[in-house]
Amino acid sequence: MVLAALAGASGRTAVAAALAVAVEFLVFGAIGTGVAALLKHPVRAGILGWVLAIALVAGNVAAVWALMPAVRSEDPVTVAINVKHGPFGEAVAYDCAPEAVGNAEIFHTERIMWLAATNPVVIFTMMAADTGLADGIPGWIPAALQSAGDGSQVPCVGGVPLVEDSMHAPLAAIGLALQGTLAALLLAAGQRSARRRLATAA
């Protein structure tokens, strides 16, 4: 919170940052504990720990970028009408004209954004936006992330309209759930490994 204040962020954003840091501290701490218990050799444990940390901080974003060609398709689109825009220019609702106007290049990012959702920066950004504590974050950033998570960058794909109260992909919850699952699996595996070593030593 002190660093956020020194950086000129609002108190609400500082609270969101502190909450995100606390959650990520617990998750990464659990991952490190699980890895240390799983691998008795400290060097190997350190290497695996760093590999997992890098994967969660940068590898997930790189994976999404690499998978973009795999989710590309040519889909029929229609013209969006009666478009309602959010505060940052994003479309929050629209109807679709009945006549198709042709095919468009579509990237179905909703199929792969669960990977990026495990990134701590994405989790913080979406947590701040979802809780209304994103005063110091440019609004277009969470809007763009949410649009990618919903796969709604191009309107009226297949003539499907968007309603204002439609469900959105809960990116922060998805990211935390995946991180928590990874930490739980490593802790469980580490506990079993430690028990086996104790049984062997006895």
Side-chain angles (χ1 to χ4, degrees), residues 27-53 182-191 193-194 197:
V27 170
F28 277 79
I31 290 174
T33 301
V35 168
L38 179 62
L39 300 177
K40 185 178 180 181
H41 197 287
V43 174
R44 293 176 182 174
I47 292 173
L48 179 57
W50 275 107
V51 168
L52 291 173
L182 174 61
L185 290 174
L186 287 171
L187 285 172
Q191 187 178 38
S193 179
R197 288 196 296 268

Side-chain angles (χ1 to χ4, degrees), residues 6 8 48 53 64 74 76 79 97 100 103 106 132 134 146 148 162 172 178 181 191:
L6 292 175
L48 179 57
V64 168
E74 295 281 339
V79 176
N103 292 338
I106 307 297
Q146 189 63 66
L162 177 67
L178 291 174
T181 299
Q191 187 178 38

Side-chain angles (χ1 to χ4, degrees), residues 12-13 15-24 27 117 119-135 137 142 145-146 169-177 179:
R12 291 161 61 86
T13 303
V15 170
L19 177 62
V21 168
V23 171
E24 292 302 297
V27 170
N119 187 286
V121 175
V122 174
I123 290 175
F124 161 66
T125 301
M126 299 313 296
M127 281 179 61
D130 292 342
T131 56
L133 301 176
D135 293 349
I137 301 174
L145 289 172
Q146 189 63 66
L171 293 179
I174 291 172
L176 289 173
Q179 285 188 354

Side-chain angles (χ1 to χ4, degrees), residues 94-185:
Y94 51 75
D95 297 319
C96 298
E99 300 85 8
V101 295
N103 292 338
E105 181 183 57
I106 307 297
F107 289 93
H108 291 278
T109 51
E110 72 278 8
R111 300 173 184 172
I112 55 176
M113 272 301 289
W114 61 271
L115 287 167
T118 59
N119 187 286
V121 175
V122 174
I123 290 175
F124 161 66
T125 301
M126 299 313 296
M127 281 179 61
D130 292 342
T131 56
L133 301 176
D135 293 349
I137 301 174
W140 63 267
I141 296 178
L145 289 172
Q146 189 63 66
S147 179
D150 296 336
S152 59
Q153 301 96 321
V154 178
C156 289
V157 177
V160 178
L162 177 67
V163 295
E164 200 160 358
D165 57 349
S166 59
M167 294 291 292
H168 297 289
L171 293 179
I174 291 172
L176 289 173
L178 291 174
Q179 285 188 354
T181 299
L182 174 61
L185 290 174

